[in-house]
Amino acid sequence: MKLSYNWLKQYIDMDVDPQELSRILTDIGLEVEGLEKFQSVKGGLEGIVIGEVLTCERHANADKLSVTTVKVGDKVLPIVCGAPNVAKGQKVLVATVGTTLYDGDNEFKIKKSKIRGEVSEGMICAEDELGLGTSHDGIMVLGSDAPVGKPAKDYINIEEDWVYEIGLTPNRADAASHIGSARDLVAGLNWLKSGNYKLNIPSVDNFKVDNHDLDIDIEVEDTEACPRYTGVTISGITVEESPEWLKNRLNAIGIRPINNIVDITNFVLHETGHPLHAFDAAKIKGNKVVVKKLPSETPFVTLDEMERKLHADDLMICNVEEGMCIAGVFGGAESGVTGNTTSIFLESAYFDPTHIRKTSKRHVLQTDASFRFERGADPNITEYALKRAALLIKDIAGGQISSEIKDVYPKTIEKWTVDISFDRVTRLIGKEIEKDTIVKILEDLDIEVLATSHEGLKLLIPTFKVDVRREVDIVEEILRVYGYNNIEIPEKVNSSVSLRQKPDLERIQNMVADYLVGQGFTEIMNNSLTKAAYIEKSAVFDQDHSVELLNPLSTDLNIMRQTLLFGGLEVINYNQNRKINDLKIFEFGKIYKRKSAATLKTGVENYFEEKHLALFTTGKMEAENWNSRQVKTDFYTAKGIVESIIKRLGIDRKKITMIENSSDDFAYTLDYVVNDNVVVSVGEVSKKLLKSFDIKQPVYVADFNWDKIINLIPARDLTYRAISKFPAVRRDLALIVDKAVTFESLKQVASKAERKILKEVGIFDIYEGDKIPEGKKSYALSFVLQDENKTLTDKIIDKAMRRIQQALETEAGAQLR
């Protein structure tokens, strides 16, 4: 939100430096995120002076150019000019050498030059070249009394202002205007500067009805969505360009002036914080405004000339035949004010915040009006805002107020009371603040003190303070103005000893994260919200399990993520678009799922979430180096990291079964299964999925179900065991097996056949070729045997190897090569 320094000064009689005011605004909770200087004419006419044309002759070498001499103070400058209206004796505006002129966001500097052989030391300017108008028919000619040599900025009234960019928090609807922010400033200045500042709100006492020539009825069918609707008619207006002061106010805060009527409604919105809307009265069919909801899928063309399909819950401002405006959000293309409008119906309403927010999000329409209505406007300012705008319209656009104010307000929204205790205020703030100071701060914030006692206060809260409902909210208001910086940091810090749970989940996660960082990985953090389009394209993840948001911020953030996969691929795409192709990243995060429709139960929690760890590798394993060979990451890179993490966590590897798998999202995967539950899945992302993310190189992913992994960690602390005194023995076997047989299955068969002394099974060669039968492959396996209590003899070793060989032949169909 933007605030104008000059505009604020209309409501507070203050002489505070703009930079100092920036600090004060931040101190009272209106954080200033930016401060910039505004000039009604860009550049402030620096370097532009008033000159007098002494001579003007046709250029000898160009029919459309004139050679002039122009007096600017004590100097006479030769200037070549292309304007058709330049003549001797004129008073003109001259851009001297070195002056910068602006054309929108573009700028150029005036230089001494030769034009068709004639020297030119400046430029006689048209009004559009200076930002003083839009005409380019010729140079700008001043009155004969214009003083020669005087800087243009001292002759032409240029407004300079300072504009604050405020980071307004969602709960501060009361400060979403210049008057609202000025109210906070009054309280802040009175406390910080010990002053007696007052809030000066423009009077509307001069409002009166001129005639009853244009009567328009109002009917509110949905009083829940529209608790209050106020309107008045004004006839005999002239729609034209706004006066300079009004355009300057709007331009300063980034609002483009349109015409005097629309500009006034925008001005009052940013002045009071209450949105208004002006309808062309001639386009209100049946002379009646009806506030209601239209059937679902009703087409409606908005001001941006886009046709939108209405939702059944969208509140509309209608005439007797059709919709005219999406209430509190956006106007219609057919009912707005145009240059031909002579009479208007002026609307000032209060709409239910929930309805407005849902409509705004549904149609992806974020406007100044919806910004305020969805945060909670003041229901009791509608009439004041209406009168304020009507008086400005009469003053600027002419016309007469041609009806009584129609106010449909069936159930008045009253102010509410809050009791506070001085002791509780002190306890929450951490410092005792004098009671008189508390009362003064609250009164400056327009919070009325109904009763005072030794224990506390009874307060009446104005309806514009929509977020102030509890005692703690009052404490926040007091502290905001008193100043967080004025609360001393205590010298004593209190703490309590807490029992650490086992296993220590945070320590375990940090241990694994540190290990991954040591292996060259970078941790990432993605939003838990993602787009439903990812799930719709996936054959692995079911849309029926998606947790959908009722009011998503956008279509890109409309469901909770079912997997960390898509977020990681987004990160890889983002980096590869910036020429970062070698990536090793990981993320700890939760996934969210809805139970399938078939398993939903009434009164039972039908949603669940799980914590996962996802690893992603792509590109080269290491940075380019002169003394190392460039190796690309592959499936075994990811699998090796998985095995290392499992080992580091102390999980019994014998409990894990490995199963090969594949899907549309993965070219192939290897699942680590414990008791029929997949605890880790590692694989290569399919080319189809990579193409949808515009990723042009292989990506390997490992997905840990962290909650299930944690349950596999041994309850006891890790212990050490002395290295055996007795040597280990290695034996190798070369086996021919079917191509479908995996190393993991051979390893399990061998471990089952020799449980006592078989310590390790490894694979050191795989061969497929013409030396072995078709459909077969050769595995070269290593077996490490060791007895913890004695040295193994050849007899024992041979007996164990025979058992292993027989089991492999019987159960896996292996043949000794």
Side-chain angles (χ1 to χ4, degrees), residues 622-641:
E622 296 179 359
E624 189 173 7
N625 197 304
W626 67 271
N627 67 348
S628 63
R629 186 169 59 90
Q630 292 298 302
V631 179
K632 292 185 177 181
T633 60
D634 56 17
F635 170 81
Y636 298 101
T637 306
K639 181 176 180 291
I641 295 293

Side-chain angles (χ1 to χ4, degrees), residues 536-691:
E536 293 167 5
K537 293 177 182 177
S538 171
V540 177
F541 302 99
D542 190 348
Q543 195 171 353
D544 189 41
H545 292 298
S546 292
V547 180
E548 299 179 358
L549 272 66
L550 295 176
N551 301 300
L553 294 171
S554 71
T555 53
D556 287 342
L557 300 169
N558 55 0
I559 64 167
M560 305 290 283
R561 63 186 177 190
Q562 284 191 42
T563 173
L564 303 183
L565 172 64
F566 302 129
L569 294 179
E570 283 181 342
V571 172
I572 291 172
N573 168 261
Y574 181 88
N575 281 271
Q576 289 188 354
N577 287 342
R578 288 152 182 81
K579 308 299 182 184
I580 304 172
N581 297 314
D582 306 326
L583 292 167
K584 291 194 286 186
I585 55 178
F586 73 96
E587 177 179 15
F588 282 98
K590 289 190 175 183
I591 66 166
Y592 309 85
K593 290 186 179 181
R594 178 176 179 266
K595 294 179 182 176
S596 63
T599 61
L600 293 180
K601 296 180 181 179
T602 305
V604 177
E605 181 58 63
N606 292 312
Y607 300 90
F608 66 94
E609 58 185 63
E610 292 177 332
K611 190 165 188 174
H612 279 237
L613 163 63
L615 316 177
F616 300 82
T617 66
T618 184
K620 301 185 187 74
M621 288 184 65
E622 296 179 359
E624 189 173 7
N625 197 304
W626 67 271
N627 67 348
S628 63
R629 186 169 59 90
Q630 292 298 302
V631 179
K632 292 185 177 181
T633 60
D634 56 17
F635 170 81
Y636 298 101
T637 306
K639 181 176 180 291
I641 295 293
V642 170
E643 294 285 351
S644 297
I645 291 174
I646 289 173
K647 184 176 181 180
R648 200 173 186 86
L649 292 174
I651 296 172
D652 186 355
R653 189 65 179 76
K654 295 178 181 179
K655 293 181 178 180
I656 299 175
T657 304
M658 301 174 74
I659 301 174
E660 291 186 15
N661 211 333
S662 65
S663 68
D664 284 355
D665 289 347
F666 288 89
Y668 54 85
T669 57
L670 184 64
D671 294 337
Y672 290 63
V673 180
V674 177
N675 298 329
D676 296 328
N677 291 315
V678 177
V679 294
V680 187
S681 184
V682 57
E684 180 183 357
V685 181
S686 69
K687 292 181 179 179
K688 179 183 176 183
L689 185 57
L690 292 179
K691 185 177 180 181

Side-chain angles (χ1 to χ4, degrees), residues 378-393:
D378 182 4
N380 294 320
I381 201 179
T382 59
E383 189 172 338
Y384 171 83
L386 191 73
K387 289 180 177 180
R388 173 70 169 149
L391 289 173
L392 286 170
I393 289 171

